[in-house]
């Protein structure tokens, strides 16, 4: 038997929103702790094991530029889709208003 979410009323949406926030915060905290441990081992204890594994500065800069462009284009596309959807919803509500007005205007 599959479980489905309820109607997403205010208490439920608040719970699921907090759950998502807590999950993402936990993942970020674990990643930050791991990177702090790696930095401590590499720099403070002078193990220098990252130097041979890190890419060249040019490769890293190209990767960061490429990733930034991809994120920017995805965000732009998402904003375009959102505004198109909002425009369609507004058109739909205007059509319902026009239809209701026409029905009430022709009523005897």
């Amino acid at each position: 038997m599959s479980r489905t979410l309820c109607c997403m009323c205010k208490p439920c949406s608040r719970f699921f929103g907090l759950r998502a926030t807590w999950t993402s915060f936990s993942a970020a905290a674990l990643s930050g702790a791991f990177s702090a441990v790696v930095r401590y081992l590499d720099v403070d204890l002078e193990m220098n094991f990252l130097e041979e594994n890190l890419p060249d500065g040019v490769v890293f800069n190209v990767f960061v530029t490429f990733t930034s462009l991809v994120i920017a284009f995805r965000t732009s596309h998402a904003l375009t889709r959102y505004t198109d959807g909002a425009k369609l919803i507004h058109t739909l509500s205007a059509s319902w208003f026009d239809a209701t007005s026409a029905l009430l205007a022709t009523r005897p």
Side-chain angles (χ1 to χ4, degrees), residues 39-56:
R39 185 196 181 282
Y40 176 73
L41 291 173
D42 188 53
V43 176
D44 294 342
L45 296 181
E46 297 179 0
M47 295 177 110
N48 296 328
F49 58 89
L50 286 179
E51 193 169 309
E52 61 192 39
N53 294 325
L54 290 177
D56 189 26

Side-chain angles (χ1 to χ4, degrees), residues 1 9 12 15 17 21-23 25-26 33 40-41 44 47 49 58 62 69 74 79 82 86 89-90 94 96:
M1 181 171 130
C9 55
C12 293
F15 170 74
T21 302
W22 179 251
T23 303
F25 176 75
S26 299
Y40 176 73
L41 291 173
D44 294 342
M47 295 177 110
F49 58 89
V58 175
V62 168
L69 288 173
R74 285 181 57 97
L79 180 63
Y82 175 77
I89 292 292
H90 181 71
W96 278 107

Side-chain angles (χ1 to χ4, degrees), residues 92-108:
L92 181 68
S93 66
S95 296
W96 278 107
F97 180 77
D98 288 343
T100 306
S101 297
L103 283 174
L104 292 176
T106 58
R107 196 175 89 177

